[in-house]
Amino acid sequence: MVAIQPLAKIWLDGQLVDWDRAQVHVLTHALHYGYAVFEGIRCHATSRGPAIFRLDEHLERFLNSAKVYRMKLPYSLEQLRQACVDLVRANGLPAAYLRPLAFSGYGEMGLDPTKAPVQVAVAMWSWGAYLGEAGQEHGVRALVSSWTRVDSRMLPPQAKCAANYANSALAKMEAVAAGYDEAILLNSAGMVAEGPGENIFRVKKDVVSTPPASSGILRGITRDTVIEFLADEHLVFRRNDFTREELFTSDEVFYTGTAAGITPIREVDGRPIGTGDYPITRRLQRRYAAATEGRLPGREGWLTYAT
Ligand SMILES: Cc1ncc(COP(=O)(O)O)c(C=O)c1O
């Protein structure tokens, strides 16, 4: 978690406004019914200045989340891309986390959100590794949650809707209250799905696997990045379901996410994972750092410079 330090500007409904003026009314529809879609994007410090990682893929997912929820955004991908770049320039941080958000605004109440006006914002703040620098270095301890991940018959997990994160928060709180760092959610078939805000991978005998999209996960952009790296590194990769006990007997397990980066999991439900070395996770972490910092040949196209 992070205590937010105010910056100069937030982009709200088409313009950059002063940080303190980016406010809403308590009768904002989304506050009551969770009808908001959002993104989490990182801007990284590079030798050529701040660079936003896979911005278009994030904005495509943002527009798709809105589409699933019949939310009509009055901005195109190009306009949103420009908004993100303008915001990074206006706030002058070398690295930051960006949060595009579209929500049902003030004016109508009741359960048909299509009557409420849609508002769109992009905010940013300074945010280090979500599961901590120590977690990235030494691994985190994870608890398999008693809460089941929402599935596409309930709340579509592939749309990044605020309402899904009530499910994530229940799992996260349960893990933290039990003395763990993070949760792992199973899907309604009892197979491993993902973390509250991260995808999950396991390594067993040099085969790397992650649950398929059909297991009820958010299709993570870091997940996709890692899948590309596995091909680059000629590692064997499979998209397949696995059980909780297959996590216990893995050689390596790690989370991926924009906020968390690539974070090793050193323990699941009190069982230590592997030998405590994470050779494949480490290789992927190094490649990810190189890609996000503009040092990975052939992957320059993933960066949008905001200089
Ligand atoms: C539920 C969930 N799963 C996975 C992820 C990882 O996705 P990404 O790598 O695109 O950040 C996130 C983060 O957005 C998430 O909220």
Side-chain angles (χ1 to χ4, degrees):
M1 305 312 262
V2 65
I4 291 177
Q5 300 298 320
L7 298 174
K9 298 286 182 189
I10 287 179
W11 187 93
L12 180 61
D13 295 328
Q15 43 188 326
L16 290 171
V17 300
D18 289 343
W19 182 274
D20 289 338
R21 291 179 62 93
Q23 293 183 356
V24 295
H25 195 275
V26 289
L27 290 182
T28 294
H29 187 275
L31 281 178
H32 300 251
Y33 306 116
Y35 189 70
V37 297
F38 67 98
E39 265 307 314
I41 311 176
R42 274 197 192 268
C43 168
H44 298 263
T46 77
S47 59
R48 288 175 52 197
I52 309 174
F53 189 64
R54 302 197 70 176
L55 176 58
D56 280 15
E57 288 91 332
H58 280 282
L59 293 176
E60 274 165 26
R61 189 170 68 185
F62 185 53
L63 294 175
N64 282 334
S65 297
K67 184 171 188 182
V68 169
Y69 279 95
R70 296 171 180 260
M71 194 183 270
K72 293 193 178 62
L73 298 200
Y75 304 102
S76 64
L77 190 145
E78 291 67 31
Q79 287 170 308
L80 293 168
R81 186 197 297 130
Q82 194 61 49
C84 292
V85 169
D86 290 348
L87 183 73
V88 172
R89 285 188 185 135
N91 284 317
L93 287 185
Y97 182 85
L98 274 74
R99 169 56 53 81
L101 173 74
F103 58 100
S104 49
Y106 171 84
E108 294 270 348
M109 280 308 211
L111 281 176
D112 180 359
T114 58
K115 306 259 184 298
V118 172
Q119 290 196 261
V120 184
V122 187
M124 63 181 260
W125 62 89
S126 181
W127 206 1
Y130 174 64
L131 296 171
E133 295 297 333
Q136 273 200 344
E137 185 59 28
H138 305 296
V140 293
R141 298 174 57 245
L143 176 75
V144 175
S145 181
S146 66
W147 296 97
T148 300
R149 190 70 182 136
V150 291
D151 79 22
S152 62
R153 294 162 298 182
M154 307 165 190
L155 283 169
Q158 288 187 25
K160 206 168 156 54
C161 178
N164 294 1
Y165 289 83
N167 175 252
S168 292
L170 288 168
K172 176 82 185 185
M173 287 188 290
E174 181 184 35
V176 170
Y180 288 82
D181 301 305
E182 186 56 303
I184 295 170
L185 289 125
L186 305 183
N187 61 25
S188 47
M191 306 304 278
V192 173
E194 60 181 342
E198 310 87 1
N199 292 116
I200 192 164
F201 286 72
R202 75 184 284 254
V203 183
K204 183 72 182 176
K205 295 192 191 303
D206 292 331
V207 176
V208 185
S209 49
T210 197
S214 56
S215 65
I217 57 166
L218 184 77
R219 278 176 196 253
I221 289 160
T222 322
R223 171 181 177 272
D224 181 73
T225 302
V226 163
I227 292 170
E228 296 220 18
F229 288 168
L230 294 170
D232 294 349
E233 300 242 353
H234 307 292
L235 287 159
V236 182
F237 167 65
R238 300 202 182 111
R239 276 181 196 83
N240 60 247
D241 284 309
F242 43 84
T243 59
R244 169 188 201 161
E245 60 272 24
E246 283 172 307
L247 285 179
F248 300 159
T249 56
S250 296
D251 300 328
E252 299 179 46
V253 182
F254 60 89
Y255 287 120
T256 64
T258 299
I262 299 174
T263 301
I265 300 178
R266 70 181 151 91
E267 189 185 309
V268 178
D269 294 351
R271 279 91 166 166
I273 301 301
T275 59
D277 294 333
Y278 321 109
I280 291 182
T281 314
R282 296 274 180 244
R283 269 162 80 180
L284 295 166
Q285 281 181 323
R286 284 194 291 273
R287 214 172 173 86
Y288 187 63
T292 54
E293 292 162 16
R295 296 184 282 106
L296 190 64
R299 301 296 189 188
E300 297 84 357
W302 279 345
L303 298 178
T304 302
Y305 287 91
T307 49

